[in-house]
Amino acid sequence: MRLLLVGIGLSFVFAHPIGATTNITEDNVTSAPVLGKAFPIKISVPEVMSSSEVRSEATGGLLPSFAVACAPSPPRGLPFYDGGGWLSPIPISPADDNERVPSVAVDASGNIWVALLVDEESNSHIRIFRSTDRGLTWALVLGIYNSYGGPVGPPQMFIDPGPTPNIVYLAFASYWKDEKGLGHRGLEVASFASDRPSETFQSTWVSAEPDFDVSEIALSVERGRGSENKAFIPARATNRLSGIQYLWVFRGSRYAPWAKVLSVGGDRCYRGGPEIWSTDRATYLVFKANAENSLPEEAQRVHIFSTLNHGASWRAIYADIPYPVSELSVAGAQGRNEAVAFVALKYGRSDHDVYAFYTKDLGVTWGGYWMETGNEETRSPRVSPDGVQFDAGQSNVFYFTEYCDRENDSLGNIKFLMCPAEGVDKRSSWCLPDGLSLDSLVISNELLYGVEPAEGCLSLSSRSELSGSMPVVVWNTPYISHNSDVFFARPIAPVYVGAQEEDGVGGGLRVLFIPSLNAIRIEGEPPEGSYLHLYSVDGREVWTFGPLPRGKTTTMRLPYLPEGVYLWRLLGTGGRVSVIR
């Protein structure tokens, strides 16, 4: 068991004109007692840069990467079910290539999208796959190659569910050549409509500056603003001549120009590994830094930024950690004030632990606790709320996955937990759903489907199905003497199902079906002598409960019923119930 006492200070970066760049320095240092121990707290101090420092999308003779429409992959047979309630891992691509660092997203129609990097020495490129049948089969939709013949970086994917059809965004570092033939790495963004990928594909350079190389990027898209949702892209930028490093954040969309809205750094110290998440209320940014030098493996500082006004101003905290930081992840709840960020910390050579930061007030205050502290290897934490494919609404739970090597034998599995959104302030809230056949590990055969224990190996999203929500996970397998493959898995049935309200009762009554409990709940006091009747779709009465007890709430567990749709009646009106097995 390791003791981590993290104190957090924060400051507010005051509002400035939209489009201007906020530059954060790290000069002021204070110290605050936390749980009886003094711990250094670094407080960001704002410095507003002039609007002349803003750089929108690059202009000139640069040619963006181009997309090649690909023939759909042949369908596969249905997989067998295994793994304690999860689908047996399904390969995304049949090609025998070295595929790694996948990114997964779900559109408002429930289609699952995966972007992955095909890692070849001379011709690395990005492939986009889509599944329209809940991940059972996959088709190759697009291939993205660099028009300069150079490499591209790992893709980040996010979907904007506001417009119809949805817009799919990709962000990646890309190689380009200047007029002298010198090579550089810039930031490129591609986007396309979800219903016509190849016909609507377009790509643009967001940052292509000869003096800077861009790497370590992330991507998120706002929610709740419909077609006005904006995308945010943080990226690590290094000056090729001086070695000065920055963490830049760009904001834009398919319909709006890209502009830099945040700039952190200005020295030779490392800042990178960013992760970002946007909701309808806030955007959260987390990244790591090395306060002493430019070595990322020695980074021991965690930054968390948040903005409530679409990047016009930012709250900023950062805390020094006693162990090197490896991977990070962050997510906020849609329609709510909660957010959580996970940090993998390297305690020993083969013993990473995971620490959690959380906020319940849109980033005004933050707390923390250990997520994992055992001797097993746990790293690559990923977090996502339910309902990410909706432009409006509310998240109820967070999903969590991580690489977990219990035996320390370099063979890893995927551990899965979930937490009610309101419970992010307690470690005990993270657990498996009660009464469901779900193992804590997704993969049942580590020799065949093991997880690569490296940054970017896991990607997590969520999908709504049968009035419930389920996580969808993709990962790449290790490769030593063979090529890495990308696999997909999800639970057989939803792991979170909220109460479904039925219309037509009236009189101050509500009837709700709770599939996770296999129960019907009546809220309100029914008239004396009332009965609830349940019928099959062919009109047969299969269950009757009554007379209903007097009281404001009555919960009735249903008997075992075969999977299907059933009709209920109460006081002359009724609704329907979908029973899932």
Side-chain angles (χ1 to χ4, degrees):
M1 178 72 69
R2 262 75 69 189
L3 178 63
L4 176 61
L5 304 178
V6 179
I8 302 175
L10 59 86
S11 68
F12 188 74
V13 182
F14 296 99
H16 56 282
I18 299 293
T21 303
T22 303
N23 184 45
I24 306 296
T25 61
E26 301 171 2
D27 298 328
N28 288 9
V29 179
T30 61
S31 183
V34 180
L35 299 181
K37 178 180 179 180
F39 208 87
I41 309 301
K42 312 302 182 182
I43 300 194
S44 309
V45 178
E47 177 183 340
V48 178
M49 298 178 63
S50 65
S51 59
S52 62
E53 293 293 329
V54 178
R55 299 180 177 90
S56 59
E57 60 184 87
T59 59
L62 293 179
L63 299 175
S65 299
F66 60 92
V68 178
C70 302
S73 305
R76 301 189 230 294
L78 297 182
F80 62 90
Y81 296 129
D82 197 5
W86 293 78
L87 286 176
S88 178
I90 299 171
I92 300 294
S93 170
D96 188 22
D97 296 319
N98 187 18
E99 300 168 338
R100 59 187 189 90
V101 285
S103 181
V104 64
V106 181
D107 65 29
S109 299
N111 299 320
I112 307 172
W113 299 76
V114 170
L116 55 85
L117 180 67
V118 179
D119 196 2
E120 300 175 345
E121 291 185 5
S122 59
N123 192 25
S124 65
H125 59 279
I126 295 169
R127 289 177 181 167
I128 310 297
F129 293 86
R130 178 179 58 191
S131 174
T132 59
D133 57 5
R134 301 178 296 168
L136 300 181
T137 61
W138 295 85
L140 180 61
V141 176
L142 291 175
I144 302 176
Y145 296 78
N146 190 292
S147 56
Y148 291 91
V152 294
Q156 298 292 326
M157 173 182 281
F158 220 96
I159 293 178
D160 180 359
T164 301
N166 296 167
I167 301 300
V168 182
Y169 285 94
L170 288 171
F172 50 93
S174 190
Y175 174 86
W176 64 278
K177 292 182 180 180
D178 59 24
E179 64 277 4
K180 298 180 180 180
L182 299 177
H184 309 275
R185 291 183 67 85
L187 171 59
E188 190 173 350
V189 175
S191 61
F192 54 85
S194 58
D195 63 337
R196 294 176 297 137
S198 58
E199 296 89 342
T200 60
F201 182 93
Q202 66 180 34
S203 182
T204 184
W205 290 95
V206 172
S207 177
E209 303 174 43
D211 292 340
F212 284 89
D213 280 339
V214 172
S215 61
E216 299 184 49
I217 64 173
L219 169 67
S220 73
V221 180
E222 291 177 325
R223 295 292 192 262
R225 305 178 68 197
S227 60
E228 298 299 316
N229 290 333
K230 295 294 190 298
F232 286 85
I233 304 175
R236 179 190 174 208
T238 305
N239 189 292
R240 295 163 59 96
L241 302 178
S242 65
I244 292 177
Q245 300 188 33
Y246 295 88
L247 196 288
W248 288 342
V249 178
F250 298 90
R251 184 193 61 205
S253 74
R254 183 180 176 91
Y255 310 108
W258 292 89
K260 190 192 305 175
V261 295
L262 184 65
S263 178
V264 181
D267 51 32
R268 293 179 176 85
C269 295
Y270 171 81
R271 292 166 185 83
E275 293 290 342
I276 194 166
W277 193 275
S278 298
T279 72
D280 59 331
R281 301 183 180 184
T283 292
Y284 304 94
L285 168 67
V286 59
F287 62 95
K288 59 183 179 179
N290 191 333
E292 303 297 332
N293 55 53
S294 61
L295 298 177
E297 62 271 14
E298 296 180 7
Q300 292 182 229
R301 180 171 292 171
V302 174
H303 295 255
I304 306 177
F305 283 21
S306 61
T307 176
L308 306 183
N309 51 18
H310 318 292
S313 58
W314 299 77
R315 290 185 181 272
I317 67 164
Y318 56 96
D320 285 341
I321 308 296
Y323 314 113
V325 179
S326 51
E327 304 91 11
L328 309 95
S329 181
V330 65
Q334 171 75 6
R336 304 178 63 106
N337 297 344
E338 297 90 353
V340 62
F342 290 103
V343 182
L345 305 175
K346 186 178 181 180
Y347 179 74
R349 182 176 181 181
S350 60
D351 184 9
H352 286 69
D353 296 323
V354 175
Y355 191 81
F357 294 94
Y358 66 87
T359 180
K360 302 187 75 172
D361 53 15
L362 295 173
V364 176
T365 59
W366 291 84
Y369 49 80
W370 278 108
M371 191 70 178
E372 307 287 355
T373 57
N375 293 324
E376 69 271 12
E377 173 84 324
T378 53
R379 57 185 299 183
S380 297
R382 308 304 302 172
V383 60
S384 177
D386 66 324
V388 297
Q389 68 268 43
F390 297 116
D391 187 55
Q394 180 170 297
S395 300
N396 292 289
V397 295
F398 284 101
Y399 296 125
F400 169 83
T401 62
E402 66 178 9
Y403 166 87
C404 182
D405 179 6
R406 288 179 168 173
E407 305 298 330
N408 274 317
D409 58 359
S410 299
L411 289 175
N413 220 318
I414 298 178
K415 185 175 183 178
F416 167 74
L417 296 171
M418 58 187 292
C419 173
E422 65 272 12
V424 294
D425 56 336
K426 300 182 180 64
R427 170 61 182 90
S428 58
S429 300
W430 293 91
C431 58
L432 291 173
D434 293 333
L436 293 173
S437 177
L438 278 173
D439 197 327
S440 61
L441 299 181
V442 172
I443 306 169
S444 58
N445 190 330
E446 295 177 2
L447 289 174
L448 293 179
Y449 308 119
V451 182
E452 169 71 22
E455 190 170 0
C457 69
L458 273 168
S459 186
L460 168 70
S461 187
S462 74
R463 182 184 186 278
S464 295
E465 184 174 320
L466 299 173
S467 299
S469 178
M470 64 171 62
V472 294
V473 185
V474 293
W475 70 96
N476 59 265
T477 57
Y479 61 95
I480 299 175
S481 59
H482 59 86
N483 287 330
S484 175
D485 294 319
V486 171
F487 287 92
F488 166 86
R490 65 165 176 81
I492 296 172
V495 297
Y496 172 78
V497 182
Q500 304 164 38
E501 183 175 351
E502 298 290 352
D503 297 326
V505 177
L509 296 177
R510 292 201 313 163
V511 176
L512 303 105
F513 174 53
I514 311 175
S516 59
L517 299 177
N518 193 38
I520 288 179
R521 184 168 72 229
I522 300 175
E523 296 183 353
E525 191 166 347
E528 187 174 357
S530 300
Y531 282 77
L532 180 74
H533 304 272
L534 202 64
Y535 303 88
S536 62
V537 291
D538 59 3
R540 293 180 296 105
E541 186 174 70
V542 297
W543 183 67
T544 300
F545 186 88
L548 298 176
R550 304 300 298 272
K552 294 184 177 180
T553 302
T554 302
T555 300
M556 301 151 288
R557 288 191 176 272
L558 297 176
Y560 179 86
L561 296 171
E563 182 172 332
V565 176
Y566 297 85
L567 307 177
W568 59 262
R569 294 189 66 83
L570 174 64
L571 303 180
T573 60
R576 62 180 55 199
V577 168
S578 296
V579 175
I580 306 166
R581 296 296 179 196

